[in-house]
Amino acid sequence: QGMLLDPGRYKIEVSAPNYLKKQQWVTLSGEPEKQYSLELTALGVIHASGVPEGASVYLDGRPAGTTPCRIPGLADGTYTLRFEKANFMPLRKKVPVRIGRIQEVNVRMMSVLDYRLFEKHLQGGQTALAKGDKANAVQAFKAALVLKPEDRAALKGLKTTGQLPSHGDTFTNRLGMEFIYIAPGSFSMGSPSTEPGRDPDERRHKVTLTTGYWLQATEVTQGQWRALMGDNPSRFNGAGKDFPVENVSYGDVQRFIGRLNDASAPERYRLPTEAEWEYGARGGSSKAFANGDIADLGCGKDGKLSKAAWYCGTAGERTHAVGQKEPNAWGLYDMHGNVWEWCRDWYGAYPFGDVM
């Protein structure tokens, strides 16, 4: 759009909905005509989609549409999305947003029927409870193996150094799922109040695990899922057999484990409790990550995390083949990043005292 102006200094300001406003000072010296071009930068955008469609989406408590929906005009920061729909359990997810980028958010909500199935599989007496975002993450999982000492002689693929399992012993089952033995022990669950990025539901408390267990070294892969279930529900289902199976609900996981148990006597499989998961994830460390402290709370370069995890600063908004990053000190891969992982128990407040 042209304008007739006297010589002088002027400020040009251009704005548009969902774009950063841009300003530029210009000087006119009596030229017959002078043209200026200002390119605007789009604010951040969230694309929210998932199963089921038509779920109500709330951004930091404010209505933002129904899935699938586009939420534009967002500044840099971390936002909380909440998904709600009748006959489904509500789901909460924290989403980092950067100006000029589109953040894809794909979720799968747990049906009330699956939740009842979940409650049916809970065991009494478990006191370590899965934290909110982890319990809401209908993504991927590691399996835990229950193995009695008298069963060991019947198993093929078991590598051990003695009559009783030792920390670090390995077992590979017929699907190629490798498990690592985690010996009993105690650790501080949760996080200290001074840890950067800490959520208020991470009250630190001592947990003692009195029984050892076998934890899968990687997430269950798409190849392992397909070999047992005959399908592949993953969003990234063309990536390859060594990529983690994801987009699975708690009920889906229970059906996989039930079928695995039917075909695997004397082995008995289940999901790890959150205490078992965090004990394994820490790998003996008391730091924020198994290999050190947090250096960056956003998607910037974090030297420690980059070595051990695929996260928003390295993943390129997609999953990656399991076992490509450094394992922790106990030989477990992808305990940080790549995908969220289901635990056996549900979200609730941590206790104030020690737990055994």
Side-chain angles (χ1 to χ4, degrees):
Q1 181 177 349
M3 299 179 65
L4 294 175
L5 299 171
D6 294 328
R9 193 163 184 262
Y10 297 89
K11 181 172 71 171
I12 300 174
E13 181 176 293
V14 180
S15 63
N18 303 321
Y19 286 83
L20 284 176
K21 181 168 59 177
K22 196 162 188 177
Q23 298 176 344
Q24 181 175 325
W25 284 93
V26 300
T27 300
L28 301 180
S29 304
E31 301 92 335
E33 182 175 318
K34 197 166 187 179
Q35 294 184 349
Y36 294 92
S37 177
L38 298 183
E39 184 177 346
L40 299 183
T41 300
L43 290 167
V45 176
I46 293 176
H47 280 176
S49 61
V51 177
E53 291 189 351
S56 298
V57 182
Y58 298 85
L59 179 75
D60 289 343
R62 302 185 302 274
T66 57
T67 55
C69 66
R70 183 176 185 270
I71 309 173
L74 303 176
D76 283 345
T78 300
Y79 297 83
T80 299
L81 288 184
R82 183 175 176 84
F83 298 81
E84 295 182 357
K85 188 167 185 177
N87 300 319
F88 287 83
M89 301 301 295
L91 187 151
R92 178 175 62 90
K93 184 176 177 68
K94 290 184 177 180
V95 182
V97 173
R98 299 179 68 178
I99 288 175
R101 295 183 61 177
I102 297 175
Q103 182 68 44
E104 297 284 349
V105 179
N106 184 275
V107 300
R108 182 165 176 170
M109 300 175 69
M110 178 189 281
S111 70
V112 173
L113 182 62
D114 269 348
Y115 179 69
R116 289 171 180 166
L117 175 64
F118 167 86
E119 289 186 312
K120 182 179 178 181
H121 281 82
L122 286 177
Q123 288 186 340
Q126 294 178 344
T127 51
L129 301 171
K131 293 186 286 187
D133 283 342
K134 193 180 301 171
N136 284 336
V138 287
Q139 287 289 344
F141 65 105
K142 287 182 170 71
L145 170 64
V146 180
L147 184 62
K148 298 177 182 178
E150 59 267 27
D151 296 331
R152 292 163 56 79
L155 298 180
K156 298 179 180 179
L158 181 63
K159 296 181 179 179
T160 180
T161 56
Q163 292 298 316
L164 295 176
S166 300
H167 197 79
D169 282 355
T170 63
F171 166 72
T172 302
N173 70 10
R174 67 197 69 187
L175 284 181
M177 301 166 69
E178 182 184 357
F179 293 82
I180 295 178
Y181 182 72
I182 310 297
S186 299
F187 74 108
S188 293
M189 189 170 179
S191 61
S193 59
T194 55
E195 184 174 287
R198 179 185 191 268
D199 285 333
D201 59 356
E202 298 178 15
R203 182 190 305 122
R204 201 161 206 185
H205 58 290
K206 182 180 178 181
V207 173
T208 298
L209 299 175
T210 58
T211 304
Y213 57 100
W214 301 76
L215 189 61
Q216 192 173 359
T218 69
E219 293 105 351
V220 173
T221 67
Q222 295 181 25
Q224 291 162 356
W225 181 280
R226 184 182 291 279
L228 193 64
M229 306 298 285
D231 63 3
N232 185 357
S234 303
R235 178 185 174 196
F236 300 100
N237 60 13
K241 64 181 181 62
D242 293 327
F243 279 63
V245 65
E246 27 80 14
N247 206 31
V248 288
S249 71
Y250 187 93
D252 295 333
V253 172
Q254 292 299 333
R255 284 183 278 274
F256 174 91
I257 290 175
R259 192 168 296 185
L260 184 61
N261 281 329
D262 289 343
S264 301
E267 307 145 35
R268 299 298 297 171
Y269 297 89
R270 58 172 174 81
L271 284 172
T273 67
E274 195 208 358
E276 291 171 336
W277 187 95
E278 185 170 331
Y279 184 50
R282 291 187 173 279
S285 170
S286 61
K287 303 292 187 181
F289 302 135
N291 63 349
D293 289 316
I294 295 174
D296 188 289
L297 291 178
C299 297
K301 179 71 173 179
D302 188 309
K304 295 290 187 182
L305 187 59
S306 295
K307 292 179 180 179
W310 297 106
Y311 67 107
C312 61
T314 60
E317 300 183 355
R318 60 171 299 112
T319 61
H320 292 262
V322 303
Q324 300 300 300
K325 293 289 188 175
E326 291 181 357
N328 68 13
W330 292 354
L332 299 170
Y333 292 87
D334 299 313
M335 300 303 283
H336 305 301
N338 209 5
V339 286
W340 289 340
E341 298 178 7
W342 279 107
C343 293
R344 188 176 189 178
D345 34 16
W346 192 240
Y347 175 62
Y350 283 163
F352 285 95
D354 296 350
V355 175
M356 180 176 293

